Amino acid sequence: MNEFVTAAPDSGLRRSQLYRKQQQAGAEFAGLNGATVVKQFAADDAQQLKSLAMVDLSMLPRSGFKGRQAPEWLTQQGVAIPAEPNRATRQEDGSLVASLSVQEHLILSDLQVTAGMSQQLANTWQMDADTACYSLPRSDSHAWLLLTGEHLRDMLAKVCGIDFAAEEFANHQVAQTSVARLNSILIRDDVQLADGSTVLAFHLLCDVSSVEFMWDCLQDAMDEFGGKPAGLAALLA
Amino acid sequence: MNATRDGYEHVQLVKRYSTCGMGPSQGRHSALATARIVANATGKSVAQTGVTTARPPFAPERLGHLAGRSFYPARYTNMHHRHLEAGAQMLQAGAWYRPAYYGPVNQRDNCIAAEVNNVRNNVGLVDVSTLGGIEVRGPDAGEFLNRVYTFGFAKQPLGRARYALMTNEAGVVIDDGVSCRFHDQLFYVTATTGGVDRVYQNMLKWNAQWCLDVDIANVTSAWCGVNIAGPKAREVLSKLCEDIDLGSEAFPYMGVREGHVAGIRARVIRVGFVGELGYEVHVPQHAGEALWDALMAAGKEHGIKPFGIEAQRVLRLEKGHIIIGQDTDAMSTPEEVQMGWAVSNKKPFFVGQRIIRELNKAPQYRSLVGFVVDDPKAPVPQESHLVIDGDKMTGRVTSCNYSPTLGKPVGMAYVPPGKTEPGSDIVIKVDGAPVAAKVVALPFYDPDTARQNL
């Protein structure tokens, strides 16, 4: 269920570091299955997502695990591990699991925040002397942005050295690279919009303490193409 | 000119003292001009002073390189905007922005003194989120820390913190922090704001050689932290802590606990960097602002006030605590900076142990000591001012501030043998004029540590 509940961005214990910037840009905030997110910026958010947009997903659940026995442990928990590093695999419940190395994995919630895998894994994991698998605080160490739109490749070319051309960078491929001089994880994960069209999309995760800097850099790079922030409602419609 | 007046007469020292020639042109524009100024100021010729060493870039940069986008990443804590709203003047520490003090620029010294007094007499709150945080986990975690830090950690009890001093292979002090043991196999180690990336890289490098069964994670950004300090700290914190007994026996100095503060999952560390009863509260990064709001609200009736880095520097100086990188340099050994107590002689190995043992056999050529300036009319010495003996440089000041608590300037300086005993007279060259100072025992404040043990 995609039920947005009216909520102030600073009413909860967990607050995105971007909430002030988004407030200034006219964001309407709401609670979604326990997370305070931007519901929408403007009535044309859907059109914006097609053209060029960024959505702050930092309040959505995510987790990470690493260690030489991390793949075995995750498999035991029912996680479908990507076949090779720098790939991502959609899970049955809608979560996305990205393999950052043979021994390190990142689990992202679905956009509806209905998939429980990330939270369930975090709750299940315990320090165990016999299992070399260690949890990582990905919900707090990294901010999470979703970038979408037909101008996305051109925009990214201004801030990142990777060639994201379709034939070079397939859906669910992962790049661990530098964006605006910040270490970042980019995961291509094209999204389907309400009108049935599919649009190019990347998840971008960067150090949470620099997300305001990243937001400004991306906004600056997007201006040339009319890019703007958007809310989650248009993605979930 | 100022550098030569302060006693740095060699062109290489002028470069390091003033940073002249360390900009993007690497001295292309300034090297000769600097040499001429030094020559003029010291009555020598440029041929005699020489010029500083030339380093890349040796060739002109192409305009194409310079025309591209430039990015200068900035880092903010989750509480950053609360500092701005409270009138903080921010300073940069690497990429981080930290509150220097709260209040107008023209009231700087008064603001800092008021913040110091409020911590000493009441309760204050400082954002320590930029401190490095590293988790070392696994069956060999204790052994790993035993090797990378100078103290003993293998037998560190659960629920306890220990001071952690790091030296490099040359026995030089390179970082410090606190090691907190939350589980048999989990140590949460803090590191300095500017040093954590190097500490983390060093840890990875060393374990690539040792192959111990540990996982090392740099979790600096994942945790936000505050230090609530002052005689009323416990009163304020206890309003928000339901599952942690903050009593002095249940939660003694250098204890660590996990629980909830204002409903937020927290790691609480009882530390005393500023020399008062104090607790560092570390919470997940995104909950930092909510923690700040809750503590400020709970402390309102007790007169809680935020304090910045400048007040923290004064408070720690009064307590005689060193700052790595400010009170140490590329040659500082633990014994020189009075940290011999933090070096274990019982364990078989730690990085730097062998050379420290050798160095300790030889007489020291300098020591870090505390000093006070008793003359109320004397100018306050500053960092890097020289300790002199006649026309000879014998040491330098590493920290100095007017102490609101003691009512006079206090500081630390490297001095030569013969000047280390309390009561020794030293002379510091301040803006070209000699200032008399007296060596005193550290700490300046609360030598029995009664305040932090409340």
Side-chain angles (χ1 to χ4, degrees):
Chain A
M1 293 291 288
N2 308 324
E3 288 190 11
F4 289 100
V5 183
T6 304
D10 57 352
S11 57
L13 294 178
R14 293 178 62 78
R15 302 169 192 175
S16 167
Q17 291 205 198
L18 293 170
Y19 83 78
R20 284 181 179 80
K21 281 187 184 295
Q22 296 183 112
Q23 253 177 337
Q24 286 162 9
E28 180 188 335
F29 290 87
L32 175 66
N33 297 329
T36 304
V37 298
V38 174
K39 182 180 173 188
Q40 66 175 25
F41 275 92
D44 64 348
D45 269 5
Q47 195 53 42
Q48 195 65 54
L49 289 168
K50 275 190 179 179
S51 172
L52 183 60
M54 60 178 167
V55 185
D56 178 20
L57 303 180
S58 297
M59 291 295 95
L60 269 55
R62 54 202 175 278
S63 55
F65 296 89
K66 71 166 178 165
R68 65 176 190 280
Q69 289 171 304
E72 291 93 315
W73 187 82
L74 288 167
T75 305
Q76 284 168 13
Q77 308 307 314
V79 178
I81 301 286
E84 56 185 283
N86 289 323
R87 294 281 172 179
T89 301
R90 178 77 59 204
Q91 308 295 300
E92 281 182 12
D93 72 348
S95 304
L96 190 68
V97 172
S99 192
L100 304 181
S101 75
V102 174
Q103 297 183 0
E104 184 170 353
H105 298 82
L106 169 68
I107 297 99
L108 302 177
S109 160
D110 62 333
L111 301 185
Q112 292 82 2
V113 202
T114 52
M117 178 179 283
S118 172
Q119 195 58 48
Q120 198 177 332
L121 289 170
N123 292 341
T124 306
W125 179 85
Q126 286 187 325
M127 191 84 76
D128 177 358
D130 299 325
T131 309
C133 173
Y134 302 96
S135 74
L136 293 170
R138 294 287 190 191
S139 281
D140 285 284
S141 63
H142 285 69
W144 177 10
L145 306 176
L146 179 71
L147 311 174
T148 73
E150 61 188 30
H151 296 298
L152 187 48
R153 287 192 180 94
D154 292 332
M155 187 278 281
L156 282 174
K158 296 166 75 174
V159 291
C160 180
I162 300 251
D163 181 359
F164 291 109
E167 62 275 16
E168 300 290 339
F169 205 85
N171 199 29
H172 288 176
Q173 200 165 334
V174 177
Q176 298 175 68
T177 181
S178 171
V179 176
R181 264 188 74 199
L182 283 179
N183 289 340
S184 303
I185 302 166
L186 279 166
I187 306 166
R188 182 175 164 190
D189 184 26
D190 297 350
V191 295
Q192 194 169 30
L193 300 178
D195 64 3
S197 62
T198 299
V199 65
L200 177 68
F202 282 88
H203 299 285
L204 185 157
L205 291 102
C206 67
D207 188 293
V208 68
S209 63
S210 293
V211 69
E212 290 184 67
F213 165 81
M214 177 65 88
W215 183 268
D216 288 343
C217 288
L218 292 175
Q219 183 63 71
D220 179 58
M222 291 198 315
D223 280 347
E224 179 184 347
F225 310 102
K228 288 180 182 168
L232 257 177
L235 274 171
L236 305 182
Chain B
M1 290 296 286
N2 289 338
T4 55
R5 195 163 62 237
D6 285 344
Y8 294 89
E9 296 181 347
H10 193 288
V11 71
Q12 294 285 7
L13 294 179
V14 168
K15 174 185 171 181
R16 282 154 183 78
Y17 185 59
S18 67
T19 70
C20 194
M22 296 185 183
S25 83
Q26 286 293 286
R28 294 299 169 284
H29 299 99
S30 60
L32 185 56
T34 303
R36 283 178 175 150
I37 290 169
V38 172
N40 190 38
T42 56
K44 295 176 183 170
S45 67
V46 172
Q48 288 172 307
T49 61
V51 291
T52 52
T53 310
R55 295 192 175 86
F58 292 115
E61 283 290 343
R62 290 178 181 168
L63 285 175
H65 285 157
L66 303 174
R69 281 167 179 264
S70 298
F71 298 104
Y72 299 96
R75 302 181 77 180
Y76 305 105
T77 76
N78 199 257
M79 305 156 191
H80 177 76
H81 294 278
R82 289 292 187 249
H83 304 319
L84 299 181
E85 288 158 12
Q89 304 296 331
M90 306 302 286
L91 59 78
Q92 240 184 311
W96 285 107
Y97 282 80
R98 308 185 70 184
Y101 59 92
Y102 296 82
V105 174
N106 61 4
Q107 292 291 310
R108 177 187 181 276
D109 292 347
N110 291 339
C111 293
I112 294 168
E115 291 170 19
V116 169
N117 287 331
N118 198 52
V119 173
R120 289 278 178 250
N121 302 303
N122 203 24
V123 56
L125 192 63
V126 62
D127 182 353
V128 297
S129 308
T130 64
L131 277 182
I134 294 174
E135 286 190 352
V136 180
R137 299 176 290 187
D140 293 336
E143 172 60 21
F144 179 76
L145 291 187
N146 244 13
R147 297 189 191 188
V148 297
Y149 288 107
T150 58
F151 232 166
F153 296 93
K155 293 178 183 173
Q156 180 178 343
L158 290 179
R160 297 292 295 168
R162 271 188 190 166
Y163 180 68
L165 186 71
M166 180 175 277
T167 51
N168 64 12
E169 294 90 334
V172 170
V173 173
I174 56 170
D175 206 77
D176 72 346
V178 170
S179 156
C180 309
R181 193 167 202 170
F182 286 105
H183 183 280
D184 270 349
Q185 297 185 38
L186 165 61
F187 290 83
Y188 176 56
V189 193
T190 63
T192 59
T193 298
V196 62
D197 289 340
R198 179 168 69 158
V199 169
Y200 176 61
Q201 292 298 330
N202 279 345
M203 285 181 169
L204 294 179
K205 180 193 76 175
W206 286 321
N207 204 46
Q209 297 172 27
W210 300 334
C211 298
L212 293 173
D213 191 359
V214 292
D215 175 74
I216 306 158
N218 185 346
V219 296
T220 300
S221 292
W223 292 88
C224 218
V226 294
N227 182 11
I228 179 168
K232 295 182 183 170
R234 183 180 291 127
E235 246 176 288
V236 175
L237 191 56
S238 60
K239 286 179 169 182
L240 302 171
C241 258
E242 289 183 3
D243 54 0
I244 301 176
D245 183 348
L246 297 174
S248 58
E249 286 185 15
F251 192 169
Y253 180 62
M254 293 303 269
V256 299
R257 299 288 183 271
E258 284 183 294
H260 292 80
V261 176
I264 304 164
R265 180 171 65 89
R267 289 174 171 173
V268 185
I269 310 165
R270 196 169 156 194
V271 290
F273 186 56
V274 298
E276 298 292 340
L277 171 66
Y279 302 87
E280 271 187 20
V281 183
H282 295 219
V283 298
Q285 181 69 236
H286 285 112
E289 187 178 279
L291 174 74
W292 182 270
D293 291 349
L295 286 166
M296 289 300 287
K300 192 175 179 186
E301 65 176 306
H302 303 282
I304 195 169
K305 293 256 170 33
F307 64 103
I309 303 310
E310 297 294 353
Q312 185 178 245
R313 283 178 179 162
V314 175
L315 290 158
R316 69 88 201 176
L317 178 59
E318 290 177 344
K319 189 58 188 166
H321 289 147
I322 66 167
I323 294 178
I324 307 296
Q326 175 167 331
D327 300 303
T328 65
D329 56 31
M331 302 291 283
S332 302
T333 63
E335 285 293 334
E336 273 182 5
V337 296
Q338 302 194 28
M339 285 288 179
W341 59 268
V343 178
S344 168
N345 294 315
K346 293 178 185 167
K347 50 186 193 179
F349 172 82
F350 63 85
V351 175
Q353 183 189 51
R354 187 173 171 190
I355 196 154
I356 286 172
R357 282 184 176 166
E358 292 303 313
L359 288 170
N360 286 348
K361 290 176 187 170
Q364 281 180 37
Y365 76 96
R366 63 173 188 170
S367 295
L368 189 70
V369 299
F371 70 83
V372 294
V373 176
D374 287 319
D375 180 358
K377 292 179 184 165
V380 179
Q382 303 293 314
E383 291 83 5
S384 289
H385 278 159
L386 295 174
V387 177
I388 55 172
D389 183 0
D391 59 356
K392 208 170 113 189
M393 295 182 212
T394 58
R396 67 180 175 87
V397 175
T398 62
S399 294
C400 190
N401 270 109
Y402 179 82
S403 161
T405 311
L406 281 80
K408 55 186 166 187
V410 301
M412 292 190 213
Y414 284 105
V415 297
K419 292 289 185 182
T420 58
E421 287 302 309
S424 302
D425 292 316
I426 57 172
V427 177
I428 299 166
K429 193 172 182 180
V430 181
D431 295 333
V435 168
K438 193 173 285 296
V439 173
V440 299
L442 292 173
F444 302 100
Y445 174 75
D446 189 27
D448 300 327
T449 67
R451 307 277 300 184
Q452 66 197 32
N453 286 326
L454 277 175

